[in-house]
Amino acid sequence: MAEFTLRLRRYDPESGAAPYWDEHTIDLEPHRSVLEGILQAKARFDGSIGIRCSCKAAICGSCGVRINGQPGLACHTHLDHALRGARDGVIEVEPMGNMPVIKDLIVDMDAVHWKKIHRVTPWLINKEPIPEREYVVPRESMVDITQSMACIQCGACVSDCLSMEVDPLFVGPAASAKAYRFVGDPRDAQQFERLQDLAEDPHGIYDCTHCFKCIDACPKGVAPMSQIMRLRRRAGNDHHIKDRNNGERHESAFVTLIKDYGLLHEAELLPRSYGGDSWFGKFHPKAGAELLDSLPAITKAVMRRKVSIKGALLGHKIPKADLNAVQRIYKKIEGRDERLELNLYITGYDEDVDGAETPPATAATGAGQPGAEPGQPGQTPEGSPSR
Amino acid sequence: MKVAYWPGCVSRGFTPELHGSMAKIAPLLDIELIELDRGSCCGAGVIAEHSQELADTLNARTFALAQQTDGHMMMNICSTCQGAQTECQERLDANAEYRAIVNETLSEDGLTYEKGITNKNLLWLLVEDFGLDELRSRVKRPLTNLRVGPFYGCYIVRPEDRLGIDHVKPRDTYLSLLIEALGGTVIEYAGMHKCCGFPIVTMNKEASLKQAGRHLGDAKDADADCVVTPCPLCHLNLDLQQPGAEKITGRVLDMPVLHLPQLVGLALGLSPKDLGLGRHVVKPTSVIDWSSSVVAGVGAGDRGW
């Protein structure tokens, strides 16, 4: 047994009083969970502490909280581990972010999380006619969506989404992962419509900033951001959905510019993202409007010699022979019939003969997935879309 | 120390002062830079969004070029390059068959990537390999009285597993350690590990600049004189776009944003002009009192930059 001090964030919106911190010292073995610590504090010292929980085994998703500032499940975090992350020897527990507090550590999941989940039509839309017997699908395609199916709806990713923090309308990581679960399912009849809906939404898949917060937050290795990138790949590459948010144009312009220059030509990327992926993109009215809006910044950058006009016009290139090599790589890979994608969650890591690296926890979970056959790239990628 | 040096695109494009200041501090730290000028863009996550194999192959090519040099390791000066390249490396190193497919493509160019390259951002190299004690001993002008807020950039702090961040290597605290070693005062604030918003600046400019403005505002509220970042893309949103961020957040920010090698260079005794500090949109003169802080002496007679 060992003593641990918990500092709990207390708040009762109905009381009219401000939130405050409350400390309790509990007595438990170090491998027991933070949730057990909170429950002991509740039983021994203060029955009014608000915490939601059920299974205590990291499967029901009820006890999402922030521990020392990091989102996660209280039942899935050992006390000794939590203590290591504590700034001053006290384990700090707060309610999750981006959602209103109902009481103490309990947040209103309905107001944010579930609303967004409902927004992505979270059920299978059957193709007609529905087969009379089992619906047989290629095994690989189901393996591909296992990662997003692992979600337990705890809301940890929503709690710390940095896009949602400034844009509460953003569909967010959990709902996007849920959307991929159906977009990747060959039985679904409306994959294109789903993608178009999420690409065209001004707060849809293109609002994700690649901040990786949701990947670290998820206790189940769902990696919502990776699912968002898959949605973008399908929307932009497979279905060529030219969305109003410049998402497809930006990606397409970036890929083209690296092929043409080897390095990023920033002054070309911006207008092309607005006006379209060609040299003429900058003459499109949308590019013109953006140029006008950015004129003060551009003028200042030129005045400060941050950017020279010549440099902005010509960009920078790698040597000719190397550019040819880069273009050979492009030709070979873009010429493949199927896109090659390696999902480490599914394939796991090679047995490490040298013992140099230990695989991260998320991969270890995935390695044991039924149907996972390590070492077969190309067997589990998202192939061409079904339509 | 000899390193295969990957400068990235933006340090040679829209933030040339970054590449320039790195070249200035390298000899003072006995770091020999073998520039990988044949490598191509890391893809910044955008090429991987299009095709993972393409991003992985382009980066494997850069890694292979680095492995041909006699450098001790590969070094970059961009958080985004660090993150995007580490992500590709994770896939390449994890699976021999996949690596073989990528290497087959590279073989047409006479190159091969061998599993397990060490690729570190300047920040990691300074703390883990050069050493903070050694750095402290080379400081000529400690940054006394300079209140510096760290700004890491997402790609260098998350995901923790992939980047090798844990309690043994707390890489998400290195900027604070470094600022201290240079004699400055560390200002920790809410946004220091958050996103600058740059990746969505063409998709949702309002949300993007709100992010930049909010974090700079947090730093200002914590009384920082300036912030420092190892990421040139963060620099674009925090410095170049700062006037726009001010407009969207409705507050005056006036917060200078320094590149990591610039902060190091100031402490090593280089002049602001040599470090290209005059090339920023928000000039550091506006808040740094060069005459009373020890970074000073610089300012008093040499304000012409």
Side-chain angles (χ1 to χ4, degrees), chain A residues 59-302:
Chain A
I59 196 60
C60 77
S62 304
C63 64
V65 288
R66 270 182 179 156
I67 298 167
N68 303 317
Q70 301 300 321
L73 297 173
C75 73
H76 194 49
T77 312
H78 296 298
L79 285 162
D80 53 352
H81 182 85
L83 188 63
R84 270 210 300 271
R87 266 171 302 178
D88 54 355
V90 177
I91 300 167
E92 215 165 78
V93 189
E94 298 168 85
M96 291 194 287
N98 283 336
M99 287 175 272
V101 174
I102 295 176
K103 186 173 183 296
D104 300 336
L105 303 172
I106 305 170
V107 297
D108 190 349
M109 300 278 286
D110 288 339
V112 182
H113 174 73
W114 288 111
K115 232 180 210 169
K116 292 183 187 294
I117 294 287
H118 291 158
R119 188 242 166 278
V120 300
T121 323
W123 56 83
L124 192 77
I125 301 169
N126 275 309
K127 284 181 181 164
E128 297 292 343
I130 299 173
E132 277 178 32
R133 302 193 54 187
E134 296 90 346
Y135 202 139
V136 183
V137 294
R139 203 202 54 194
E140 310 84 77
S141 54
M142 295 316 281
V143 173
D144 181 45
I145 53 175
T146 20
Q147 192 173 14
S148 49
M149 284 160 85
C151 174
I152 57 168
Q153 309 294 340
C154 67
C157 58
V158 173
S159 161
D160 276 42
C161 173
L162 293 179
S163 272
M164 221 181 253
E165 193 176 88
V166 291
D167 176 14
L169 295 175
F170 174 40
V171 64
S176 301
K178 178 56 88 183
Y180 186 71
R181 187 254 168 273
F182 297 105
V183 165
D185 190 326
R187 296 170 301 170
D188 195 86
Q190 304 214 344
Q191 296 173 349
F192 173 78
E193 289 80 359
R194 288 175 186 274
L195 286 166
Q196 190 173 38
D197 171 41
L198 288 168
E200 284 287 2
D201 186 332
H203 307 279
I205 46 174
Y206 291 112
D207 261 11
C208 166
T209 69
H210 293 204
C211 79
F212 305 93
K213 267 276 187 184
C214 56
I215 295 184
D216 270 357
C218 180
K220 291 291 171 184
V222 171
M225 188 189 124
S226 305
Q227 312 312 328
I228 297 176
M229 295 309 130
R230 291 201 166 92
L231 289 168
R232 288 186 182 181
R233 257 197 295 284
R234 294 214 167 192
N237 263 2
D238 297 341
H239 293 285
H240 307 287
I241 298 168
K242 303 213 179 303
D243 57 285
R244 74 179 88 175
N245 306 303
N246 307 325
E248 188 272 345
R249 273 187 296 276
H250 178 75
E251 178 226 284
S252 164
F254 198 111
V255 174
T256 307
L257 287 170
I258 306 309
K259 187 174 77 190
D260 293 349
Y261 293 85
L263 296 171
L264 185 61
H265 187 347
E266 298 101 326
E268 272 288 317
L269 179 65
L270 287 174
R272 287 189 191 197
S273 297
Y274 287 88
D277 180 20
S278 85
W279 187 83
F280 297 100
K282 52 176 102 42
F283 302 110
H284 190 279
K286 274 185 83 179
E290 173 55 26
L291 198 69
L292 212 62
D293 190 48
S294 306
L295 205 58
I298 297 169
T299 315
K300 205 149 209 179
V302 173

Side-chain angles (χ1 to χ4, degrees), chain A residues 162 165 210-211 232-233 237 246 251 262 266 290 293 304 306 322 332 334 336 341 349-350 375, chain B residues 14 16-17 38 41 48-50 52-53 61 90 94 96-97 155 158 194 202 205 211 280-281:
Chain A
L162 293 179
E165 193 176 88
H210 293 204
C211 79
R232 288 186 182 181
R233 257 197 295 284
N237 263 2
N246 307 325
E251 178 226 284
E266 298 101 326
E290 173 55 26
D293 190 48
R304 294 275 154 84
K306 196 172 178 55
D322 295 290
K332 177 156 187 179
E334 302 285 78
R336 288 196 204 285
E341 189 178 328
Y349 290 66
D350 280 353
Chain B
F14 272 20
E17 68 279 359
R38 296 175 53 200
C41 173
E49 188 182 304
H50 168 85
Q52 278 186 354
E53 190 197 357
R61 184 176 173 275
E90 185 183 37
E97 285 186 46
Y155 279 84
R158 284 179 296 271
K194 291 188 180 174
T202 56
K205 200 170 184 176
Q211 290 187 305
H280 297 186
V281 164

Side-chain angles (χ1 to χ4, degrees), chain A residues 70 84 162-163 165-167 202-203 206-216 225-226 229-230 232-233 237 243 245-247 250-252 254-255 258 262-264 266-267 269-270 273-274 290 293-294 297-298 300-301 304-307 312 316-319 321-323 325-326 328-330 332-334 336 338-344 347-354 360-362 374-377, chain B residues 6 8-17 37-41 43-54 56-58 61 65 83 87 90-99 101 104-106 108-109 115 154-155 157-162 167 193-195 197-208 210-211 214-215 233 235-236 239-241 243 247 259 273 278-283:
Chain A
Q70 301 300 321
R84 270 210 300 271
L162 293 179
S163 272
E165 193 176 88
V166 291
D167 176 14
H203 307 279
Y206 291 112
D207 261 11
C208 166
T209 69
H210 293 204
C211 79
F212 305 93
K213 267 276 187 184
C214 56
I215 295 184
D216 270 357
M225 188 189 124
S226 305
M229 295 309 130
R230 291 201 166 92
R232 288 186 182 181
R233 257 197 295 284
N237 263 2
D243 57 285
N245 306 303
N246 307 325
H250 178 75
E251 178 226 284
S252 164
F254 198 111
V255 174
I258 306 309
L263 296 171
L264 185 61
E266 298 101 326
L269 179 65
L270 287 174
S273 297
Y274 287 88
E290 173 55 26
D293 190 48
S294 306
I298 297 169
K300 205 149 209 179
R304 294 275 154 84
R305 292 185 301 121
K306 196 172 178 55
V307 186
H316 43 189
K317 276 191 185 181
I318 56 174
D322 295 290
L323 192 57
V326 165
R328 265 201 306 277
I329 291 173
Y330 263 77
K332 177 156 187 179
I333 294 172
E334 302 285 78
R336 288 196 204 285
E338 288 214 338
R339 204 170 36 233
L340 186 57
E341 189 178 328
L342 185 71
N343 186 345
L344 294 176
T347 61
Y349 290 66
D350 280 353
E351 290 281 325
D352 203 74
V353 274
D354 318 326
T362 45
Q376 288 205 7
Chain B
W6 171 243
C9 305
V10 180
S11 78
R12 292 175 286 180
F14 272 20
T15 62
E17 68 279 359
D37 52 7
R38 296 175 53 200
S40 60
C41 173
V46 184
I47 293 185
E49 188 182 304
H50 168 85
S51 157
Q52 278 186 354
E53 190 197 357
L54 183 59
D56 292 353
T57 310
L58 291 174
R61 184 176 173 275
L65 290 169
E87 181 175 341
E90 185 183 37
R91 283 190 288 267
L92 292 165
D93 287 0
N95 191 309
E97 285 186 46
Y98 183 65
R99 194 162 59 246
I101 294 172
E104 200 227 306
T105 309
L106 293 185
E108 292 172 30
D109 198 15
K115 177 185 173 177
C154 302
Y155 279 84
V157 287
R158 284 179 296 271
E160 291 190 348
D161 281 348
R162 184 189 293 155
H167 60 283
H193 290 116
K194 291 188 180 174
C195 177
F198 185 76
I200 54 167
V201 75
T202 56
M203 271 84 94
N204 186 340
K205 200 170 184 176
E206 188 183 335
S208 170
K210 242 186 211 168
Q211 290 187 305
R214 188 180 281 202
H215 309 327
L233 300 178
H235 195 271
L236 289 180
D239 178 66
L240 183 65
Q241 299 276 15
K247 214 162 137 195
H259 297 288
K273 193 175 177 182
R279 291 191 172 193
H280 297 186
V281 164
V282 182
K283 276 203 178 189

